[in-house]
Amino acid sequence: MKNVDARTHLRGESVYLDDMPLLNGTLFGAAFGSPVAHGHINSLDLTDAAQMPGVVRIFTSKDITGENQIGGIIPDEPLFAEQETHFCGMPVAFVVATSTEAARAAVKKIKLDISPLPVITDPREAQAQGQLIIPPRSFRLGDTNAAWNQCTHIVTGTADTNGQEHLYIETQGAYVIPQENNALRIYSSTQGPTAVQRAVSKALGLPMHMLEVEVTRLGGGFGGKEDQANTWAALCALAAHHLKKPVKYALHRMEDMAMTGKRHPYSSDFKIGLDAEGRILAYEVTFYQNAGAAADLSPAVLERTLFHCTNSYFIPNVMATAYSCRTHLPPNTAFRGFGGPQGMFVIEAAIAKAAGVMGVPAAVIQQKNLHHTGDEFPYGQRAQSEAHACWERADDLYDAPAIRRSINAFNKTNQLYKKGMAFMPVCFGISFTKTLMNQARALVHVYTDGSVSVTTGAVEMGQGVNTKILQVAAQVFSIPPEQVRIQPTSTWRIANTSPSAASATTDLNGKATLMACTAIAERLKEVAAAGLQVNAADITLRDGYVYVQGDRTNWDWKKLLMEAYTKRVSLSEHAHYATPEIHFDAAKEKGHPFAYHVYGTAIVEVTVDCLRGTYVIDAVKVVHDFGASMNPAIDIGQIEGGIVQGIGWMTMEEVIYDADGRLRSNALSTYKVPDIYAVPKDIEIAFLETQQDNLAIFRSKAVGEPPLMYGIGAWFALRNAIYAFNPHASIPFTAPMTPEKVLMALYSKTMTGTPSPHEQTVTHLAVDK
Ligand code: MTE
Ligand code: HPA
Ligand code: MOS
């Protein structure tokens, strides 16, 4: 089935926050963000700004009617800076004017007298100074200390990944309309309507039932609107509450880039030990997460890094420690993969380095250590593994030995172009790591004309969740999809929602929809059974008709509904779903946190121009574990998008803050994202066919985040291409691998006297298979 939004998207008729018709009297806001990352505010002079044309009022922390606090997990984030600023762009004041131009012009007239304080941008420095968001956490399996003795090869190193700008096409924003008796209707571009409702409730001191948050769709979220839509909604709500006028703020791109957090940069240390056959016996890793100035979602992101620190591999002895470090950057936040990619990069780096020392291709070590069903993750859950199935299918389907041979042949005959390839296996856990968040509700109304209305907590952000939920309802009632409409998400229709995140939105909200529709269908069958004088068990609903023991009756869908309505049987249902079986004990750091895991393997091929350091991604060939996909078109779109976003993070997207904590890569002229020329020339996606039972909706496994991590393979493919040109190259494990870094590596040398371990790798590769 086609994406239900395809038609309006293509015609430019889909409505986003900035497309909404405005009410008469609407005012426009603009935030004044701190120009200094860490400073003491001596005085704030609003006089000139207040006299600018069109300015209605300027709000500061003094105007807050509730608490000056928007922290979600930890209350450590003021909405407005009071005495101190903690990051560049931290809101200090909010100007409201009769036009957005007037508001922005007035922002420029605000005078802030501020004394700079020491700025920390490096997570290791923050950790050394004891600046931690939460106490460190450790996952342990077996005993690494005892295992090192048994290792033939022990390799240590450091691996760093940088941040990533979300670059959703629709920037952050909110539009708040006052209602009678202080109630507020809040339109917000948010993945978490309830998060916005809670944040506004706290900042304004209003009960949640006074605040309706409604979301039709987002022009992308990618995690950036899981928590960070709250600020703009709270600012607009505060102004609307005071002024009794509608207030709107849709951020400009540069405001959005400067004021919002991004993917967390990480710096990590690893130590890996293997036996003579290449089995990984022990792995120790320490993660330094750059959380930014406030907790935001960092503790949860940190946890997912630990959960994914061994990726698809079984390692019997693991000791993983993670520090969430407070720095003076904008609070970093959720981003597709949610800490998982950062953890996976490090284990892949450790394996690549160990393979170099041992003189074997990394793929040999990777494949040998993939986990099997029943193997234990460091957090206690046992794998229901498709790791080998995906790898072996990819190896076979895409003929990896032939790819390797042709790359070696190419590299022998070309001086200035070199090719490289890498395998990237992925294993990603599905469920919010915080067990309580794995719940959802759906409200289904069937109208007497046969049309069906479904509301859930799910937010459509381009990932296709509305289409999939619509499919669930249409399938249960066995009616055409046109008869079902997915309504905007609203906190008055569905309460206490988890954000649309963790790739679990369709699983959670789809299952609640399945329950609600099934309950209504069961009641309808009773009505039909009574009317047709047969057993309810003999009745099925199919293609818009009532069937008895497989035979079609003359009761169509509408007649059935009218009959039920006449008999005063409810045609509505509100259902609640909570993922069964999952649990986690944070004291022991053990449990069964995930409903299931998604697996896959990608083969990434690249060509490097060794004169310029530029490169192309030739191909990404994937075998992906979709379970039984309920919408292959949407799922393939998710894989392609995830791959390109992952490649962008690993290769070209470079977030740069200077030592003063100011964002230098603050526009699309300085922050490069993949364009049509940068995407892989070839993306092939094969479905792993399995009949495994699992907790996914209709066994259609979650697909939103896992494919991003295939992009990590691009980094290692580039590394291999560089070694083909220069076996002595020194290539630190730092991402992104920008063309500048490639160029430096191509002409670099490891320290004299130390033969590069990769010389052997290259020779071995040349004779491999
Ligand atoms: N796809 C599109 N087009 N736009 C998005 O914002 N977000 C990603 C992923 N795919 C996103 C996307 C992220 S971070 C997540 S967690 C999932 O979609 C969320 O949706 P799901 O739970 O329905 O997969
Ligand atoms: N994934 C994504 N978002 C989240 C999670 C998670 O595990 N926990 C809290 N928010
Ligand atoms: Mo996705 S990072 O869980 O919004």
Side-chain angles (χ1 to χ4, degrees):
M1 182 182 156
K2 271 197 293 206
N3 189 315
V4 290
D5 283 337
R7 188 184 154 82
T8 52
H9 278 0
L10 204 65
R11 294 168 62 90
E13 291 170 355
S14 298
V15 174
Y16 299 86
L17 187 105
D18 212 18
D19 300 315
M20 290 176 50
L22 298 180
L23 285 182
N24 225 347
T26 293
L27 300 173
F28 301 85
F32 170 75
S34 172
V36 170
H38 189 203
H40 179 84
I41 298 180
N42 304 316
S43 67
L44 177 68
D45 182 357
L46 303 173
T47 333
D48 290 354
Q51 279 159 16
M52 290 289 284
V55 171
V56 176
R57 186 164 161 185
I58 304 176
F59 297 89
T60 65
S61 63
K62 297 194 183 74
D63 300 300
I64 286 185
T65 51
E67 263 181 78
N68 185 19
Q69 185 50 248
I70 55 162
I73 296 180
I74 299 173
D76 67 347
E77 188 178 359
L79 174 61
F80 283 115
E82 289 181 51
Q83 276 95 42
E84 273 198 14
T85 65
H86 300 127
F87 61 92
C88 277
M90 181 176 184
V92 182
F94 186 58
V95 178
V96 174
T98 49
S99 75
T100 174
E101 294 77 13
R104 288 197 166 87
V107 161
K108 295 202 177 109
K109 299 287 180 190
I110 291 177
K111 292 192 197 114
L112 183 70
D113 178 9
I114 185 166
S115 308
L117 296 167
V119 171
I120 300 177
T121 58
D122 176 53
R124 289 181 190 254
E125 191 185 332
Q127 190 266 348
Q129 296 192 15
Q131 291 294 325
L132 297 181
I133 301 272
I134 51 163
R137 289 182 65 176
S138 292
F139 282 18
R140 282 189 192 83
L141 183 65
D143 181 356
T144 48
N145 286 328
W148 299 121
N149 288 331
Q150 293 148 38
C151 297
T152 315
H153 307 278
I154 296 176
V155 175
T156 62
T158 297
D160 293 355
T161 50
N162 200 343
Q164 186 176 21
E165 165 60 44
H166 298 88
L167 221 84
Y168 22 66
I169 293 177
E170 178 196 28
T171 54
Q172 303 265 4
Y175 182 32
V176 179
I177 299 167
Q179 313 284 304
E180 62 179 28
N181 294 320
N182 283 331
L184 295 172
R185 166 170 270 261
I186 301 167
Y187 297 98
S188 163
S189 180
T190 180
Q191 291 171 240
T194 294
V196 166
Q197 188 189 25
R198 286 197 187 114
V200 173
S201 165
K202 196 167 189 178
L204 270 62
L206 290 177
M208 287 169 76
H209 71 196
M210 302 284 272
L211 307 169
E212 179 180 24
V213 181
E214 191 183 293
V215 185
T216 298
R217 66 163 65 71
L218 314 185
F222 304 111
K225 296 169 182 170
E226 181 173 335
D227 224 36
Q228 300 211 346
N230 299 4
T231 306
W232 327 108
L235 293 176
C236 291
L238 183 70
H241 181 60
H242 279 287
L243 298 171
K244 303 287 170 238
K245 291 271 176 99
V247 177
K248 178 180 164 181
Y249 184 23
L251 275 69
H252 281 183
R253 179 64 64 188
M254 281 177 83
E255 291 174 324
D256 190 302
M257 289 179 82
M259 292 184 182
T260 65
K262 312 184 190 313
R263 183 188 293 286
H264 294 78
Y266 275 62
S267 185
S268 311
D269 296 321
F270 62 80
K271 178 175 176 184
I272 191 167
L274 305 89
D275 67 14
E277 280 75 53
R279 261 185 303 271
I280 305 172
L281 299 183
Y283 181 55
E284 285 183 1
V285 59
T286 306
F287 298 106
Y288 299 87
Q289 177 199 55
N290 191 335
D296 192 272
L297 293 163
S298 298
V301 171
L302 190 81
E303 182 171 75
R304 197 174 272 277
T305 302
L306 289 168
F307 281 119
H308 292 87
C309 72
T310 55
N311 191 8
S312 309
Y313 309 109
F314 174 65
I315 305 179
N317 303 287
V318 176
M319 168 72 194
T321 301
Y323 296 95
S324 182
C325 311
R326 194 186 296 275
T327 62
H328 296 106
L329 303 185
N332 286 314
T333 194
F335 196 133
R336 206 171 192 173
F338 206 76
Q342 292 94 322
M344 290 186 194
F345 181 79
V346 184
I347 182 71
E348 293 302 328
I351 289 174
K353 190 161 182 181
V357 168
M358 294 172 66
V360 297
V364 171
I365 312 282
Q366 287 174 302
Q367 186 177 11
K368 185 163 280 175
N369 291 283
L370 292 174
H371 58 226
H372 293 91
T373 293
D375 281 344
E376 189 177 348
F377 289 98
Y379 47 91
Q381 187 162 343
R382 298 211 171 253
Q384 171 76 49
S385 179
E386 306 289 356
H388 281 277
C390 290
W391 181 291
E392 276 127 41
R393 185 87 190 97
D395 195 72
D396 183 51
L397 180 69
Y398 301 119
D399 199 352
I403 298 175
R404 213 173 273 135
R405 278 194 303 274
S406 89
I407 287 182
N408 287 336
F410 178 94
N411 288 346
K412 275 211 190 86
T413 52
N414 284 276
Q415 279 296 305
L416 292 178
Y417 289 91
K418 295 291 179 187
K419 287 185 184 286
M421 72 177 282
F423 274 78
M424 182 63 204
V426 168
C427 165
F428 195 80
I430 301 302
S431 287
F432 286 97
T433 54
K434 198 161 187 58
T435 301
L436 82 83
M437 294 177 77
N438 296 286
Q439 52 172 311
R441 282 152 295 278
L443 177 64
V444 177
H445 299 307
V446 180
Y447 296 95
T448 49
D449 70 349
S451 65
V452 175
S453 157
V454 179
T455 313
T456 71
V459 170
E460 176 62 54
M461 56 187 127
Q463 87 279 38
V465 66
N466 280 0
T467 306
K468 289 182 175 178
I469 289 177
L470 190 152
Q471 283 179 272
V472 172
Q475 181 163 331
V476 175
F477 294 136
S478 197
I479 55 176
E482 303 76 55
Q483 283 187 268
V484 182
R485 181 176 148 87
I486 307 298
Q487 307 293 0
T489 312
S490 153
T491 55
W492 279 355
R493 282 198 296 273
I494 300 292
N496 309 318
T497 63
S498 292
S500 287
S503 305
T505 316
T506 311
D507 277 1
L508 297 171
N509 295 276
K511 290 229 175 176
T513 304
L514 178 61
M515 289 167 73
C517 294
T518 305
I520 295 171
E522 290 309 313
R523 286 200 289 270
L524 291 173
K525 286 179 192 171
E526 295 288 346
V527 168
L532 294 162
Q533 307 218 317
V534 296
N535 283 329
D538 292 335
I539 290 191
T540 46
L541 304 179
R542 203 196 304 165
D543 304 330
Y545 280 90
V546 175
Y547 280 66
V548 176
Q549 288 188 331
D551 294 328
R552 198 171 114 172
T553 67
N554 63 355
W555 282 43
D556 66 8
W557 175 240
K558 258 198 226 171
K559 176 171 167 58
L560 175 62
L561 297 176
M562 273 318 294
E563 204 68 34
Y565 180 64
T566 311
K567 295 270 152 47
R568 297 187 295 172
V569 171
S570 169
L571 296 175
S572 297
E573 187 76 15
H574 179 260
H576 168 83
Y577 174 74
T579 314
E581 296 170 27
I582 54 172
H583 56 88
F584 193 69
D585 179 344
K588 297 197 179 87
E589 303 285 25
K590 296 283 179 195
H592 186 105
F594 298 117
Y596 57 90
H597 291 83
V598 169
Y599 290 84
T601 296
I603 300 173
V604 184
E605 303 167 47
V606 302
T607 305
V608 172
D609 176 333
C610 301
L611 211 50
R612 297 177 180 85
T614 53
Y615 45 77
V616 291
I617 313 294
D618 298 314
V620 179
K621 296 169 179 163
V622 176
V623 172
H624 186 87
D625 161 31
F626 292 89
S629 173
M630 66 185 288
N631 195 314
I634 284 175
D635 287 354
I636 286 171
Q638 284 293 296
I639 304 258
E640 290 176 346
I643 286 172
V644 172
Q645 202 164 32
I647 289 175
W649 173 53
M650 279 285 111
T651 64
M652 61 198 302
E653 297 185 37
E654 197 169 27
V655 177
I656 296 180
Y657 289 97
D658 63 20
D660 296 328
R662 244 190 309 261
L663 182 68
R664 290 307 187 182
S665 49
N666 66 346
L668 292 179
S669 53
T670 44
Y671 186 77
K672 296 297 184 187
V673 292
D675 60 12
I676 195 66
Y677 301 104
V679 305
K681 297 286 162 277
D682 180 23
I683 295 183
E684 290 178 46
I685 299 160
F687 291 62
L688 181 78
E689 312 282 351
T690 62
Q691 290 301 317
Q692 310 278 19
D693 201 6
N694 58 49
L695 285 171
I697 178 82
F698 294 154
R699 296 188 189 178
S700 176
K701 283 191 174 183
V703 72
E705 292 165 286
L708 180 128
M709 284 149 272
Y710 295 138
I712 296 172
W715 196 97
F716 290 91
L718 287 169
R719 180 178 184 267
N720 291 335
I722 296 168
Y723 282 132
F725 179 78
N726 174 5
H728 299 282
S730 153
I731 313 175
F733 291 105
T734 60
M737 184 82 95
T738 55
E740 293 89 337
K741 281 196 204 149
V742 171
L743 191 64
M744 308 238 282
L746 285 166
Y747 298 95
S748 65
K749 263 207 183 341
T750 42
M751 283 196 294
T752 43
T754 355
S756 163
H758 304 285
E759 234 167 332
Q760 285 172 295
T761 315
V762 174
T763 3
H764 190 101
L765 260 177
V767 297
D768 188 45
K769 300 198 181 176

Coordinates of all heavy atoms in Angstrom, one line a residue, residues 259-306:
M259 N 20.7 26.8 18.4 CA 20.1 26.7 19.7 C 19.8 25.3 20.1 O 19.5 25.1 21.3 CB 18.8 27.5 19.8 CG 19.1 29.0 19.7 SD 17.5 29.8 19.9 CE 17.9 31.5 19.7
T260 N 19.8 24.4 19.2 CA 19.3 23.0 19.6 C 20.5 22.0 19.7 O 21.5 22.2 19.0 CB 18.3 22.4 18.6 OG1 18.9 22.2 17.3 CG2 17.1 23.4 18.5
G261 N 20.3 21.0 20.5 CA 21.3 20.0 20.7 C 21.3 19.0 19.5 O 20.4 19.0 18.7
K262 N 22.3 18.2 19.4 CA 22.5 17.3 18.3 C 22.8 15.9 18.8 O 22.7 15.6 19.9 CB 23.7 17.9 17.5 CG 23.5 19.4 17.2 CD 24.4 20.1 16.4 CE 24.2 21.6 16.5 NZ 22.8 22.0 16.4
R263 N 23.3 15.0 17.9 CA 23.8 13.7 18.3 C 24.9 14.0 19.2 O 25.7 14.9 19.0 CB 24.2 12.9 17.1 CG 24.7 11.5 17.5 CD 25.3 10.7 16.3 NE 24.4 10.4 15.3 CZ 23.5 9.4 15.3 NH1 23.3 8.7 16.4 NH2 22.7 9.2 14.3
H264 N 25.1 13.1 20.2 CA 26.2 13.3 21.2 C 27.5 12.9 20.6 O 27.7 11.7 20.1 CB 26.0 12.3 22.4 CG 24.8 12.7 23.2 ND1 23.5 12.3 22.9 CD2 24.7 13.3 24.4 CE1 22.7 12.7 23.8 NE2 23.4 13.3 24.8
P265 N 28.5 13.7 20.6 CA 29.9 13.3 20.3 C 30.3 12.4 21.4 O 30.0 12.6 22.6 CB 30.7 14.6 20.3 CG 29.7 15.7 20.2 CD 28.5 15.2 20.9
Y266 N 31.1 11.4 21.1 CA 31.7 10.5 22.1 C 33.2 10.4 21.9 O 33.7 10.4 20.7 CB 31.1 9.1 22.0 CG 29.8 8.8 22.6 CD1 28.7 9.5 22.3 CD2 29.8 7.8 23.6 CE1 27.5 9.2 22.9 CE2 28.6 7.5 24.2 CZ 27.4 8.2 23.9 OH 26.2 7.8 24.5
S267 N 33.9 10.3 23.0 CA 35.3 9.9 22.9 C 35.4 8.6 23.7 O 34.9 8.5 24.8 CB 36.2 11.0 23.5 OG 37.6 10.6 23.3
S268 N 36.1 7.6 23.2 CA 36.1 6.3 23.9 C 37.5 5.6 23.9 O 38.2 5.8 22.9 CB 35.1 5.3 23.2 OG 33.9 6.0 23.0
D269 N 37.7 4.8 24.9 CA 38.9 4.0 25.0 C 38.5 2.5 24.9 O 37.6 2.1 25.5 CB 39.7 4.2 26.3 CG 40.2 5.6 26.4 OD1 40.6 6.2 25.4 OD2 40.1 6.2 27.5
F270 N 39.3 1.7 24.1 CA 38.9 0.3 24.1 C 40.2 -0.6 24.3 O 41.3 -0.2 24.1 CB 38.3 -0.1 22.8 CG 39.1 0.2 21.5 CD1 40.1 -0.8 21.2 CD2 39.0 1.3 20.7 CE1 40.9 -0.6 20.0 CE2 39.8 1.5 19.6 CZ 40.7 0.6 19.3
K271 N 39.9 -1.8 24.7 CA 40.9 -2.8 24.9 C 40.2 -4.1 24.5 O 39.2 -4.5 25.0 CB 41.4 -2.9 26.3 CG 42.4 -4.0 26.6 CD 43.0 -3.9 28.0 CE 43.9 -5.0 28.4 NZ 44.3 -4.9 29.8
I272 N 40.8 -4.8 23.5 CA 40.2 -6.0 23.0 C 41.2 -7.2 23.0 O 42.4 -6.9 22.7 CB 39.5 -5.8 21.6 CG1 38.6 -7.0 21.2 CG2 40.6 -5.6 20.5 CD1 37.8 -6.7 20.0
G273 N 40.8 -8.3 23.4 CA 41.7 -9.5 23.5 C 41.1 -10.7 22.7 O 39.9 -11.0 22.8
L274 N 41.9 -11.3 21.9 CA 41.5 -12.4 21.0 C 42.4 -13.6 21.2 O 43.6 -13.4 21.5 CB 41.5 -12.0 19.5 CG 40.6 -10.8 19.2 CD1 41.5 -9.5 19.3 CD2 40.1 -10.9 17.8
D275 N 41.9 -14.8 21.0 CA 42.8 -16.0 21.0 C 43.4 -16.1 19.6 O 43.2 -15.3 18.7 CB 42.0 -17.2 21.4 CG 40.9 -17.7 20.4 OD1 40.9 -17.2 19.3 OD2 40.1 -18.5 20.8
A276 N 44.2 -17.2 19.4 CA 45.0 -17.3 18.2 C 44.1 -17.5 17.0 O 44.4 -17.2 15.9 CB 46.0 -18.5 18.3
E277 N 42.9 -18.0 17.2 CA 41.9 -18.3 16.1 C 41.1 -17.0 15.8 O 40.3 -17.1 14.9 CB 41.0 -19.4 16.4 CG 41.6 -20.8 16.2 CD 42.5 -21.2 17.3 OE1 42.1 -21.1 18.5 OE2 43.7 -21.5 17.0
G278 N 41.3 -16.0 16.5 CA 40.5 -14.8 16.3 C 39.2 -14.7 17.0 O 38.3 -13.9 16.7
R279 N 39.0 -15.6 18.0 CA 37.8 -15.4 18.8 C 38.0 -14.3 19.8 O 39.0 -14.3 20.5 CB 37.5 -16.7 19.5 CG 36.4 -17.6 18.9 CD 36.0 -18.8 19.7 NE 37.2 -19.6 19.9 CZ 37.7 -20.6 19.1 NH1 37.0 -20.9 18.0 NH2 38.8 -21.2 19.4
I280 N 37.0 -13.4 19.9 CA 37.2 -12.3 20.9 C 36.9 -12.9 22.3 O 35.8 -13.4 22.5 CB 36.2 -11.2 20.6 CG1 36.4 -10.7 19.1 CG2 36.4 -10.0 21.6 CD1 35.4 -9.6 18.7
L281 N 37.8 -12.8 23.2 CA 37.6 -13.3 24.5 C 37.3 -12.2 25.5 O 36.6 -12.5 26.5 CB 38.9 -14.0 25.0 CG 39.4 -15.2 24.2 CD1 40.6 -15.9 24.8 CD2 38.2 -16.2 24.0
A282 N 37.8 -11.0 25.3 CA 37.5 -10.0 26.3 C 37.5 -8.6 25.6 O 38.1 -8.4 24.6 CB 38.6 -10.0 27.3
Y283 N 36.6 -7.7 26.1 CA 36.5 -6.4 25.6 C 36.2 -5.4 26.8 O 35.3 -5.6 27.5 CB 35.3 -6.4 24.6 CG 35.0 -5.0 23.9 CD1 36.0 -4.3 23.3 CD2 33.8 -4.5 24.0 CE1 35.8 -3.1 22.6 CE2 33.5 -3.3 23.4 CZ 34.5 -2.6 22.7 OH 34.2 -1.4 22.1
E284 N 37.0 -4.4 26.9 CA 36.8 -3.4 27.8 C 36.7 -2.1 27.1 O 37.4 -1.8 26.2 CB 38.0 -3.3 28.8 CG 37.9 -4.4 29.9 CD 39.0 -4.2 30.9 OE1 39.8 -3.3 30.9 OE2 39.1 -5.2 31.8
V285 N 35.7 -1.3 27.5 CA 35.5 0.0 26.8 C 35.0 1.0 27.8 O 34.3 0.7 28.7 CB 34.5 -0.2 25.6 CG1 33.1 -0.7 26.1 CG2 34.3 1.1 24.8
T286 N 35.5 2.2 27.6 CA 35.0 3.4 28.4 C 34.5 4.5 27.5 O 35.3 4.9 26.6 CB 36.2 3.9 29.3 OG1 36.7 2.8 30.0 CG2 35.7 5.0 30.2
F287 N 33.3 4.9 27.7 CA 32.7 5.9 26.8 C 32.6 7.2 27.6 O 32.2 7.3 28.7 CB 31.3 5.5 26.5 CG 31.2 4.2 25.7 CD1 30.7 3.1 26.3 CD2 31.5 4.2 24.3 CE1 30.6 1.9 25.6 CE2 31.4 3.0 23.6 CZ 30.9 1.9 24.2
Y288 N 33.1 8.3 26.9 CA 32.9 9.7 27.4 C 31.9 10.4 26.5 O 32.2 10.7 25.4 CB 34.2 10.4 27.4 CG 35.3 9.7 28.3 CD1 36.1 8.7 27.8 CD2 35.4 10.1 29.7 CE1 37.0 8.1 28.6 CE2 36.3 9.5 30.5 CZ 37.1 8.5 30.0 OH 38.1 7.9 30.8
Q289 N 30.7 10.5 27.0 CA 29.6 11.1 26.2 C 29.6 12.6 26.5 O 29.6 13.1 27.6 CB 28.3 10.5 26.7 CG 27.1 11.1 26.0 CD 25.8 10.8 26.8 OE1 25.7 11.2 27.9 NE2 24.8 10.2 26.1
N290 N 29.6 13.4 25.4 CA 29.5 14.8 25.5 C 28.0 15.2 25.6 O 27.3 15.3 24.6 CB 30.2 15.5 24.3 CG 30.3 17.0 24.5 OD1 29.6 17.6 25.2 ND2 31.3 17.6 23.8
A291 N 27.6 15.4 26.8 CA 26.1 15.6 27.0 C 25.7 17.0 26.7 O 24.5 17.2 26.5 CB 25.8 15.2 28.5
G292 N 26.6 17.9 26.8 CA 26.2 19.3 26.7 C 25.8 19.8 28.1 O 26.1 19.2 29.1
A293 N 25.1 21.0 28.1 CA 24.9 21.7 29.4 C 23.9 21.2 30.3 O 23.8 21.6 31.4 CB 24.7 23.2 29.0
A294 N 23.0 20.3 29.8 CA 21.9 19.8 30.7 C 21.7 18.4 30.3 O 22.1 17.9 29.2 CB 20.7 20.6 30.5
A295 N 20.9 17.7 31.1 CA 20.8 16.2 30.9 C 20.0 15.9 29.7 O 20.4 15.0 28.9 CB 20.1 15.6 32.2
D296 N 18.9 16.6 29.5 CA 18.0 16.3 28.3 C 17.8 14.7 28.4 O 17.5 14.2 29.4 CB 18.6 16.8 27.0 CG 17.7 16.7 25.8 OD1 17.6 15.7 25.2 OD2 17.0 17.7 25.6
L297 N 18.0 14.0 27.2 CA 17.9 12.6 27.2 C 19.2 11.8 27.4 O 19.3 10.6 27.2 CB 17.2 12.2 25.9 CG 15.8 12.7 25.7 CD1 15.3 12.6 24.2 CD2 14.8 11.8 26.5
S298 N 20.3 12.6 27.7 CA 21.6 11.9 27.7 C 21.7 10.7 28.6 O 22.3 9.7 28.1 CB 22.6 13.0 28.2 OG 22.7 14.0 27.3
P299 N 21.1 10.6 29.8 CA 21.2 9.3 30.5 C 20.6 8.1 29.8 O 21.2 7.0 29.8 CB 20.4 9.6 31.8 CG 20.5 11.1 32.0 CD 20.4 11.7 30.5
A300 N 19.5 8.4 29.0 CA 18.9 7.3 28.3 C 19.8 6.9 27.1 O 19.9 5.7 26.7 CB 17.5 7.6 27.8
V301 N 20.3 7.9 26.4 CA 21.2 7.7 25.3 C 22.5 6.9 25.7 O 22.9 6.0 25.1 CB 21.6 9.1 24.6 CG1 22.7 8.9 23.6 CG2 20.4 9.7 24.0
L302 N 23.0 7.3 26.9 CA 24.2 6.6 27.4 C 23.9 5.2 27.6 O 24.7 4.3 27.3 CB 24.5 7.3 28.8 CG 25.8 6.9 29.4 CD1 27.0 7.7 28.8 CD2 25.8 7.1 30.9
E303 N 22.7 4.9 28.2 CA 22.3 3.5 28.4 C 22.3 2.7 27.1 O 22.7 1.6 27.1 CB 20.9 3.6 29.1 CG 20.2 2.4 29.5 CD 19.0 2.8 30.3 OE1 18.0 3.2 29.7 OE2 19.0 2.6 31.5
R304 N 21.7 3.3 26.1 CA 21.6 2.5 24.8 C 23.0 2.3 24.2 O 23.3 1.3 23.5 CB 20.7 3.2 23.8 CG 20.3 2.3 22.7 CD 19.2 2.9 21.8 NE 17.9 2.7 22.2 CZ 17.2 1.6 22.0 NH1 17.7 0.5 21.3 NH2 15.9 1.4 22.4
T305 N 24.0 3.2 24.5 CA 25.4 3.0 24.1 C 25.9 1.7 24.7 O 26.5 0.8 24.1 CB 26.3 4.2 24.5 OG1 25.7 5.3 23.9 CG2 27.7 3.9 24.0
L306 N 25.6 1.6 26.0 CA 26.1 0.4 26.7 C 25.4 -0.9 26.2 O 26.0 -1.9 25.9 CB 25.8 0.5 28.2 CG 26.7 1.5 28.9 CD1 26.2 1.8 30.4 CD2 28.2 1.0 29.0

